[in-house]
Coordinates of all heavy atoms in Angstrom, one line a residue:
I204 N -7.1 21.7 7.3 CA -7.7 21.0 6.1 C -8.6 22.1 5.5 O -9.6 22.4 6.1 CB -8.5 19.8 6.5 CG1 -7.6 18.8 7.2 CG2 -9.0 19.1 5.2 CD1 -8.3 17.5 7.7
K205 N -8.2 22.6 4.3 CA -9.0 23.7 3.8 C -8.8 23.8 2.3 O -7.9 23.1 1.7 CB -8.5 25.0 4.4 CG -7.0 25.3 4.2 CD -6.6 26.6 4.9 CE -6.7 26.6 6.4 NZ -6.2 27.8 7.0
P206 N -9.7 24.5 1.6 CA -9.6 24.6 0.1 C -8.3 25.3 -0.3 O -7.9 26.2 0.4 CB -10.8 25.4 -0.3 CG -11.8 25.3 0.9 CD -10.9 25.2 2.1
N207 N -7.8 24.9 -1.4 CA -6.6 25.5 -2.0 C -7.1 26.6 -2.9 O -7.4 26.4 -4.1 CB -5.8 24.5 -2.7 CG -4.4 25.1 -3.2 OD1 -4.2 26.3 -3.1 ND2 -3.6 24.2 -3.8
I208 N -7.2 27.8 -2.4 CA -7.7 29.0 -3.2 C -6.5 29.8 -3.7 O -5.6 30.1 -3.0 CB -8.6 29.8 -2.3 CG1 -9.8 29.0 -1.8 CG2 -9.1 31.1 -3.1 CD1 -10.6 29.7 -0.7
G209 N -6.6 30.1 -5.0 CA -5.6 31.0 -5.6 C -4.3 30.3 -6.0 O -3.3 30.8 -6.0
G210 N -4.5 29.0 -6.5 CA -3.4 28.3 -7.0 C -2.6 27.5 -6.0 O -3.1 27.4 -4.8
L211 N -1.5 26.9 -6.4 CA -0.8 26.0 -5.5 C -0.2 26.7 -4.3 O 0.4 27.7 -4.4 CB 0.3 25.3 -6.3 CG 1.0 24.1 -5.7 CD1 0.0 23.0 -5.5 CD2 2.2 23.6 -6.6
R212 N -0.4 26.1 -3.2 CA 0.0 26.7 -1.9 C 1.3 26.1 -1.4 O 1.5 24.9 -1.7 CB -1.1 26.5 -0.9 CG -0.9 27.2 0.4 CD -2.1 26.7 1.4 NE -3.4 27.2 0.9 CZ -3.9 28.3 1.4 NH1 -3.3 29.0 2.3 NH2 -5.1 28.6 1.0
K213 N 2.1 26.9 -0.7 CA 3.3 26.3 -0.1 C 2.9 25.2 0.9 O 1.9 25.3 1.6 CB 4.1 27.3 0.6 CG 4.9 28.2 -0.3 CD 5.8 29.2 0.5 CE 6.6 30.0 -0.5 NZ 7.5 30.9 0.3
I214 N 3.6 24.1 0.9 CA 3.2 22.9 1.7 C 4.2 22.6 2.7 O 4.4 21.5 3.1 CB 3.0 21.7 0.7 CG1 4.2 21.5 -0.2 CG2 1.7 21.9 -0.1 CD1 4.1 20.3 -1.1
Y215 N 4.9 23.6 3.3 CA 5.8 23.4 4.3 C 5.2 23.4 5.7 O 5.9 23.2 6.7 CB 7.0 24.4 4.3 CG 7.7 24.3 3.0 CD1 7.8 25.4 2.1 CD2 8.4 23.1 2.6 CE1 8.5 25.3 0.9 CE2 9.0 23.0 1.4 CZ 9.1 24.1 0.5 OH 9.8 24.0 -0.7
D216 N 3.9 23.7 5.8 CA 3.3 23.7 7.1 C 2.5 22.5 7.3 O 2.5 21.6 6.5 CB 2.4 25.0 7.3 CG 1.3 25.1 6.2 OD1 1.3 24.2 5.3 OD2 0.5 26.0 6.3
N217 N 1.7 22.4 8.4 CA 0.9 21.2 8.7 C -0.5 21.4 8.0 O -1.5 21.6 8.7 CB 0.7 21.1 10.2 CG 2.0 20.7 10.9 OD1 2.9 20.0 10.3 ND2 2.2 21.2 12.1
G218 N -0.5 21.3 6.7 CA -1.8 21.5 6.0 C -2.1 20.4 5.0 O -1.2 19.8 4.4
V219 N -3.4 20.3 4.8 CA -3.9 19.5 3.7 C -4.8 20.5 2.9 O -5.8 20.9 3.4 CB -4.8 18.3 4.1 CG1 -5.4 17.5 2.9 CG2 -3.9 17.3 5.0

Side-chain angles (χ1 to χ4, degrees):
I204 303 174
K205 56 181 69 174
N207 186 355
I208 300 171
L211 194 63
R212 185 186 294 263
K213 285 187 177 180
I214 51 178
Y215 298 120
D216 60 354
N217 293 327
V219 176

